[in-house]
Amino acid sequence: MDEIKMRVAGIEKSFPGVKALSNIDFSVRKGTVHALCGENGAGKSTLMKIIMGLYKADKGQIFIDEKPVDIRNPIQAREKGISMIAQELNYVPELSVEENLFLGRLPVNKFGKVNWKQVRKEAQQFLREEGLPYSPTQKLKTLTVSDIQMLEIIKAVTNNAQIIIMDEPTSSITEREVQQLFKKIEELKAKGVAIIYISHKMEEVFKIADDITVLRDGSVVSTDRAADLDLDTVISRMVGRKISNVYPKEEVTIGEKAIEVEHYSQKGVFEDVSFYARKGEIVGFAGLVGAGRTETMRAVFGLDPHESGNVKIDGQEVNIKSVADSIHKGLIMLSESRRDDGIVPVRSVQENASLASLERYIYGGYTHKKKEQTEVLEMFQKMNVKTPSMETEISKLSGGNQQKVLLARWMLCNPEIMILDEPTRGIDVGAKFEIYKLITEIVKENKAVIMVSSELPELLGMCDRIYIMCQGKISGCIDKSEFSQETIMMYATGLRNQQ
Ligand SMILES: Nc1ncnc2c1ncn2[C@@H]1O[C@H](COP(=O)(O)OP(=O)(O)OP(=O)(O)O)[C@@H](O)[C@H]1O
Ligand SMILES: [Mg+2]
């Protein structure tokens, strides 16, 4: 079946200071998954936003079923059968699950009155069918990032779309949910739906894609059948060079305990959690999404409360009541939900990067702007942050580049202990490697790194020791010599327990 469902021709798009897309030709076959690969800032989301009518192209034409179409906004896109699961989930926290599911397409009678009974009934049915345990009236703010991502997926599917764009749909969902999504994708394909799939997880791409297009610096490098490609070829086309796929972990002498958390509990969230990280050590936290890893770390860092337990830093008991206390004690955390506790949207990339380390640039009564700028710039170069200028508003950067800026913010604090919650989420393969190298450099300076990650290969490749959490408790801790994906999964699913 080689019927073209959608085609774009000659698309161009510039933003102030950046040519985001030039002369893009791209077509998606009916009933197939077309993966779009490219580094952070390559132009993937921009192209998708043009298709959705969120941005206007400077030039070019979109065709659906070989007929030229004009899409000026997402409502028109939906009318033409296009749905998108956006990379930056933009939801209104106060909306309920059902309101969100029916956003923009609430059933109304001829007097314009919403039929809430029908909404409730259909919402309940969707939730039941998908096996999601939320109530239709629950506010979105009570859900986790992964819950909301799942809801977005259902929303797109239930819209009866003929073309579904998925921009990093699996960045925050569990392995089991990924399997569910893939099953759903197969069903959609069988119905003739065309899917555009964007992901930095290359294994996923190769598992699910029929066709692969590589974008680099706003241009199409190639489009091929996935079966004719291999991983190394795609990666080298993306980054324009060959990169080694190994982890740059080095042997570091391990010292005293830098941080020790004892019997941390918060009822219903995490229970009796004890762990430590030593100087020079990279300690991983594995577990299924919802196991309580993020919640525990947030409490340790002082973002969320805890009922009992204590923390020692360098053997001294410390009383952490707020994030300010933590930073003062040399403990920082890169939070998983960058949107909620990370980015200051209207501020520049420079300001976002130096926010937490400003103190370091104030001495002798002066702010040493020059030093601040130089250090931020150096860090950006190391991480390959792509931004038109240091004054650009952070919200204008691509998703992955925003994350790099946040990571840079914490790296610049020069902390003794770093908690990194999903540090490479949404980050392209080339930059991932740079971030691993930075982490390696950090521990060489006798610092401790705690890495929470849902990507097992990353934990196995980078850590000295891994704790596994299951249902709010630590179910196991294993040393490098015992590392294996199977062992971790046994502890993560509760099949095995050391306690
Ligand atoms: N609203 C905007 N204003 C100005 N520049 C923008 C805007 N949106 C995107 N850009 C720029 O366009 C380029 C492409 O960004 P885009 O978000 O499409 O990248 P991407 O391929 O989706 O990357 P990622 O993998 O990080 O999500 C980047 O240089 C980005 O800074
Ligand atoms: Mg993007």
Side-chain angles (χ1 to χ4, degrees):
M1 194 164 52
D2 254 10
E3 202 178 323
I4 302 295
K5 182 68 203 172
M6 191 199 62
R7 181 163 72 85
V8 306
I11 298 274
E12 310 253 330
K13 178 75 187 170
S14 293
F15 293 111
V18 219
K19 178 132 201 193
L21 295 173
S22 35
N23 199 19
I24 301 286
D25 292 330
F26 170 74
S27 44
V28 186
R29 296 182 294 144
K30 200 176 165 194
T32 63
V33 175
H34 197 124
L36 196 51
C37 299
E39 282 185 296
N40 295 131
K44 305 177 297 293
S45 296
T46 303
L47 180 58
M48 295 305 117
K49 285 178 185 167
I50 288 172
I51 295 172
M52 274 311 279
L54 285 161
Y55 290 157
K56 190 178 179 310
D58 302 335
K59 249 194 198 163
Q61 180 66 54
I62 302 174
F63 299 85
I64 293 178
D65 297 323
E66 284 306 332
K67 282 192 278 297
V69 290
D70 188 19
I71 301 169
R72 298 214 185 112
N73 54 51
I75 297 174
Q76 290 183 352
R78 190 159 55 214
E79 284 165 3
K80 300 204 160 57
I82 313 172
S83 263
M84 171 152 100
I85 302 163
Q87 180 177 21
E88 291 97 27
L89 295 174
N90 257 322
Y91 55 90
V92 185
E94 291 298 328
L95 280 188
S96 69
V97 167
E98 61 187 7
E99 284 165 333
N100 177 58
L101 274 174
F102 286 88
L103 198 64
R105 54 174 183 129
L106 282 167
V108 286
N109 69 11
K110 61 181 177 206
F111 305 112
K113 204 163 173 289
V114 174
N115 185 346
W116 286 109
K117 245 193 165 143
Q118 187 188 337
V119 168
R120 178 70 43 89
K121 208 174 123 220
E122 288 190 28
Q124 266 162 347
Q125 194 185 335
F126 288 147
L127 293 171
R128 196 161 1 129
E129 276 173 13
E130 300 302 326
L132 297 177
Y134 338 119
S135 130
T137 52
Q138 212 169 332
K139 294 253 165 85
L140 292 186
K141 65 177 178 197
T142 64
L143 302 182
T144 63
V145 186
S146 93
D147 292 336
I148 291 171
Q149 203 162 48
M150 263 330 257
L151 269 187
E152 288 299 303
I153 293 168
I154 296 176
K155 200 158 94 183
V157 171
T158 53
N159 265 340
N160 262 332
Q162 288 308 298
I163 300 162
I164 302 183
I165 299 167
M166 304 186 176
D167 197 348
E168 302 258 1
T170 62
S171 60
S172 321
I173 61 180
T174 61
E175 187 50 36
R176 197 169 54 90
E177 288 167 329
V178 173
Q179 295 316 320
Q180 236 171 301
L181 172 67
F182 282 7
K183 223 178 98 208
K184 187 117 268 157
I185 289 179
E186 290 302 331
E187 286 166 26
L188 291 166
K189 271 173 65 172
K191 283 189 204 151
V193 175
I195 292 159
I196 305 175
Y197 195 89
I198 300 178
S199 175
H200 289 293
K201 299 183 184 168
M202 302 310 287
E203 318 85 75
E204 262 180 19
V205 166
F206 273 93
K207 209 179 279 174
I208 200 84
D210 298 290
D211 298 340
I212 299 179
T213 288
V214 177
L215 271 187
R216 187 164 78 227
D217 294 333
S219 301
V220 173
V221 179
S222 62
T223 297
D224 299 272
R225 296 282 191 268
D228 298 336
L229 289 170
D230 59 37
L231 183 61
D232 285 345
T233 311
V234 174
I235 291 177
S236 66
R237 283 183 190 167
M238 275 168 66
V239 301
R241 64 193 150 92
K242 275 212 159 4
I243 59 162
S244 52
N245 224 342
V246 290
Y247 294 93
K249 167 81 181 144
E250 288 177 38
E251 282 310 313
V252 175
T253 326
I254 304 228
E256 298 286 303
K257 287 179 185 165
I259 182 169
E260 190 163 14
V261 172
E262 297 171 324
H263 311 296
Y264 244 53
S265 293
Q266 173 75 14
K267 212 169 173 222
V269 190
F270 50 85
E271 239 177 276
D272 197 24
V273 174
S274 300
F275 64 91
Y276 61 86
R278 291 170 293 192
K279 294 177 195 268
E281 195 177 30
I282 305 176
V283 175
F285 265 75
L288 306 177
V289 175
R293 296 170 298 164
T294 293
E295 289 76 5
T296 305
M297 295 307 163
R298 287 177 61 94
V300 169
F301 185 47
L303 272 169
D304 289 338
H306 69 284
E307 285 153 0
S308 53
N310 53 284
V311 178
K312 285 185 190 153
I313 289 180
D314 285 332
Q316 299 282 333
E317 195 160 325
V318 291
N319 188 4
I320 292 174
K321 290 211 195 66
S322 68
V323 171
D325 290 344
S326 293
I327 296 177
H328 192 71
K329 298 266 187 299
L331 167 69
I332 64 88
M333 172 168 172
L334 172 77
S335 159
E336 146 190 70
S337 57
R338 339 268 188 216
R339 190 173 161 275
D340 299 336
D341 6 76
I343 286 163
V344 189
V346 295
R347 292 308 179 116
S348 71
V349 287
Q350 168 80 39
E351 287 170 297
N352 267 281
S354 53
L355 193 72
S357 50
L358 282 177
E359 271 181 21
R360 292 206 298 123
Y361 307 113
I362 302 174
Y363 44 86
Y366 295 98
T367 325
H368 292 249
K369 270 266 163 250
K370 194 96 212 154
K371 183 165 186 293
E372 177 192 329
Q373 279 165 356
T374 322
E375 289 191 10
V376 171
L377 207 62
E378 263 173 33
M379 188 58 79
F380 278 18
Q381 273 157 359
K382 274 194 206 160
M383 296 174 126
N384 191 17
V385 176
K386 210 176 148 192
T387 176
S389 79
M390 300 305 280
E391 280 68 51
T392 307
E393 255 179 51
I394 190 166
S395 50
K396 302 273 156 57
L397 299 195
S398 80
N401 281 300
Q402 293 187 12
Q403 299 202 27
K404 290 187 202 169
V405 173
L406 288 186
L407 190 57
R409 175 196 291 171
W410 295 118
M411 298 264 180
L412 284 163
C413 280
N414 201 19
E416 291 305 313
I417 306 153
M418 292 186 97
I419 303 174
L420 305 174
D421 196 355
E422 304 287 357
T424 63
R425 174 180 293 168
I427 287 185
D428 68 58
V429 279
K432 256 183 200 163
F433 187 73
E434 299 305 320
I435 287 171
Y436 297 144
K437 276 213 301 231
L438 278 172
I439 294 176
T440 306
E441 292 307 314
I442 290 170
V443 288
K444 273 198 202 153
E445 290 170 26
N446 252 333
K447 300 176 179 202
V449 171
I450 296 170
M451 190 152 109
V452 178
S453 171
S454 300
E455 286 195 49
L456 275 185
E458 160 175 302
L459 290 180
L460 297 171
M462 288 301 293
C463 295
D464 297 289
R465 215 152 41 88
I466 298 177
Y467 287 97
I468 306 108
M469 284 186 78
C470 175
Q471 300 187 334
K473 292 184 183 149
I474 291 197
S475 56
C477 174
I478 54 175
D479 269 321
K480 208 177 175 83
S481 58
E482 314 161 86
F483 278 4
S484 86
Q485 203 137 339
E486 293 70 35
T487 314
I488 291 178
M489 284 321 287
M490 299 273 269
Y491 285 114
T493 50
L495 285 171
R496 212 191 268 182
N497 202 317
Q498 283 177 346
Q499 250 67 57

